[in-house]
Amino acid sequence: MPTIPTKAWRGVFGEYRAAMTTGVTELPDAFHFAGLVTVLGSAIGRSAFVYSATEIYPNQYTVLVGPSGQRKTTAIVKATELIDRAVVKSLYNLNSAEGLVKALGESPSVLVVQDEFTHVFAKARQDGGSTLIPLLNRLYDVPDVTELVTKADPVRVEKPYVSIFSGSPPDWLRDQLESYHFTSGFLNRFTYYTGEDKAPISMPVRANVTKLKRFVKGLNKPGVRTREYTLDSSALKLYDEWYHDWKSRVPSNEYSANLGIRLPIKVLKMGLLYAVTEKTSNINRDQIEGAIEWANYQQETMAQVFGESPLGVNREEQRLMRLLDVPMTVSNLHKKMGGRVTSATLTMMIDKLVKLERVESYKIEGDTKTWLKLRV
């Protein structure tokens, strides 16, 4: 299983790991890293950015990936206890685009705490939910303004800043995925963390994070001007070498290519977090090296979570494949599927399975109908 490199456990990250591993919890170290990076990104807010074609802020969209019962929610709770509620508003379990925009109207900085990541997919499928994923995509890029047209009146929020902290079992995640989640750029905005539990602790003790809470609270004081960080010459040279090497790699498939497309932005976000928390004047070589090593962990983790064919086959699509035991027309398959599946839904399912090379769609000479068969 991939592990976060030692170089990435810098400064407060190492301190937090130490605070969480002295009889406090059995959770993987990676989950604590994920929690701290998300909380730090939300606390720093718009007070710091690095420029690369656009202003890049340190907000994070984070998913803990692990089997049911791994206590991912515990990692989320422990990390979010560090937040200064006067600066960052927590929004628990996102229900709609309107709900998120309303929360941003009350507080420009919001940390969405989503117990189950795939619930976002379910909400997006509901009536009117089609605005949710595009909204989250825009907010990841920290726009100056976001607007949402509702049934009542348009809602406009200036200087919105959103972070997301969530979790999911890997099978649930793969089961819910559709091509849209890749092609829309939604999944590649997130970072993913996996890890193995440590030795059992029968009676966990309370973590001493008082000092760290004060540190987080002091990261974004009211009235502080936004500061631009740049890479110093040595850091820029290393980042440039890594970037060109990254650009030259050939992904194994189109979905892998899509998942990794924002990796350079994530490296800069991580380098910025190191610079802010270590109170350096700019991003130095050591910090960008730690960020690059963290990015290597990210690539390994995405490969583990999504696999070579990252698009999952959900239960209804598995049923379709079972019913397609012999070649048949689309209309005959629809009859076998029964009334639960509309023609439009069946078409989307077939398109997905054809793209995944699970099903073959073809024509027979002299027949205008479309035929389907399982690919061997």
Side-chain angles (χ1 to χ4, degrees), residues 138-156:
R138 289 198 306 275
L139 291 172
Y140 177 82
D141 299 325
V142 192
D144 287 336
V145 175
T146 191
E147 293 181 316
L148 186 69
V149 178
T150 64
K151 292 179 180 179
D153 294 300
V155 180
R156 175 186 173 93

Side-chain angles (χ1 to χ4, degrees), residues 49-161:
F49 72 91
V50 57
Y51 187 85
S52 178
T54 187
E55 294 177 356
I56 297 170
Y57 293 88
N59 64 314
Q60 305 284 322
Y61 282 13
T62 303
V63 184
L64 306 180
V65 183
S68 297
Q70 200 178 22
R71 301 179 183 176
K72 296 177 288 294
T73 301
T74 300
I76 293 173
V77 169
K78 286 187 176 297
T80 52
E81 286 175 350
L82 302 173
I83 292 174
D84 181 0
R85 307 294 179 181
V87 176
V88 180
K89 175 184 175 67
S90 293
L91 176 62
Y92 291 91
N93 294 322
L94 185 59
N95 289 314
S96 65
E98 290 85 353
L100 177 54
V101 173
K102 180 181 178 182
L104 286 167
E106 298 169 355
S107 172
S109 182
V110 169
L111 172 60
V112 175
V113 181
Q114 190 76 28
D115 289 340
E116 172 48 53
F117 180 52
T118 57
H119 287 176
V120 177
F121 301 155
K123 294 297 180 183
R125 291 192 189 101
Q126 293 175 359
D127 291 343
S130 60
T131 58
L132 181 56
I133 287 179
L135 175 65
L136 292 174
N137 283 353
R138 289 198 306 275
L139 291 172
Y140 177 82
D141 299 325
V142 192
D144 287 336
V145 175
T146 191
E147 293 181 316
L148 186 69
V149 178
T150 64
K151 292 179 180 179
D153 294 300
V155 180
R156 175 186 173 93
V157 176
E158 295 187 1
K159 304 295 183 182
Y161 190 88

Side-chain angles (χ1 to χ4, degrees), residues 205-250:
V205 299
R206 185 179 288 106
N208 183 3
V209 292
T210 304
K211 180 181 175 183
L212 192 53
K213 279 186 176 181
R214 288 198 300 266
F215 179 84
V216 172
K217 186 174 183 178
L219 286 174
N220 189 357
K221 296 178 180 178
V224 174
R225 292 181 59 186
T226 299
R227 177 180 172 188
E228 178 178 358
Y229 283 73
T230 60
L231 279 66
D232 68 23
S233 58
S234 182
L236 184 58
K237 182 176 184 297
L238 180 60
Y239 177 74
D240 182 68
E241 291 170 355
W242 172 83
Y243 182 84
H244 281 85
D245 176 68
W246 171 79
K247 287 287 284 186
S248 68
R249 298 174 195 169
V250 179

Side-chain angles (χ1 to χ4, degrees), residues 2-9 17 29-31 33-34 193 294 297:
T3 57
I4 297 176
T6 302
K7 189 78 175 178
W9 287 99
R17 177 171 62 174
D29 286 344
F31 285 9
F33 188 101
Y193 293 84
W294 168 84
Y297 161 82

